[in-house]
Amino acid sequence: EEKKDEETSTNFRLIYHPRVQLESITNNVSDSNGTVNLLFRDVQSDTDEMNVIEDVSTVIANVGFRPDSSIYQELQVHQCYASEGPMNLAAVLMSSSSAGSVDCLAQVAPGKETMINPEPSFYIVGMKSYGRSSKFLLTIGHEQVKHVMELLKEDI
């Protein structure tokens, strides 16, 4: 008599959740299999309603990241049509990548003049400043903050 194997992890459901913002991932304390619970919201919804999915064993995030510029959509920010980053910085990044620089670890922070936007005293730093580019490094973000502090000091 042949024994059937217990249920394996190859039996799973794949659920696609487009245009959602993951708010939290928490351990499922009632499960010893290491599953998690997800709390997320639909970014295109007009409500702040949260959705929960429990007992998740695998999360696949194919984000195709796109910066959320809604926080400054009413300000005078010149955005690059290709990368959706601030134009001055995007122009420098695109010109340096087309010049054969393929190693993102070898990049240096562009000068403080690349942080300037048409909106007075408004600066975009961090990953959002790189728009859709995946070359952002935390060290570059630190340099950007230093540049912005210098620019703010000059304005005083």
Side-chain angles (χ1 to χ4, degrees), residues 27-147:
N27 287 329
N28 188 349
V29 293
S30 64
D31 183 10
S32 63
N33 293 326
T35 63
V36 294
N37 299 325
L38 305 177
L39 179 65
F40 64 93
R41 70 178 185 87
D42 183 344
V43 295
Q44 291 186 323
S45 174
D46 292 335
T47 68
D48 288 333
E49 180 181 334
M50 296 289 180
N51 299 300
V52 177
I53 302 177
E54 297 178 336
D55 302 326
V56 175
S57 59
T58 304
V59 176
I60 302 170
N62 297 324
V63 295
F65 183 73
R66 175 180 205 151
D68 178 9
S69 60
S70 63
I71 193 169
Y72 53 84
Q73 70 185 11
E74 298 296 325
L75 302 178
Q76 299 175 45
V77 175
H78 189 195
Q79 285 186 296
C80 173
Y81 66 91
S83 71
E84 296 185 14
M87 184 57 83
N88 290 338
L89 180 58
V92 170
L93 293 174
M94 283 197 255
S95 67
S96 66
S97 64
S98 64
S101 173
V102 293
D103 183 8
C104 71
L105 296 176
Q107 68 179 315
V108 295
K112 63 184 175 184
E113 63 280 351
T114 63
M115 305 304 298
I116 298 172
N117 283 295
E119 185 70 31
S121 300
F122 180 77
Y123 306 98
I124 301 170
V125 298
M127 190 169 181
K128 193 174 293 238
S129 71
Y130 269 50
R132 292 178 176 219
S133 175
S134 61
K135 291 186 175 185
F136 177 75
L137 299 173
L138 195 52
T139 56
I140 298 295
H142 293 157
E143 288 296 316
Q144 287 178 332
V145 170
K146 288 178 187 175
H147 290 323

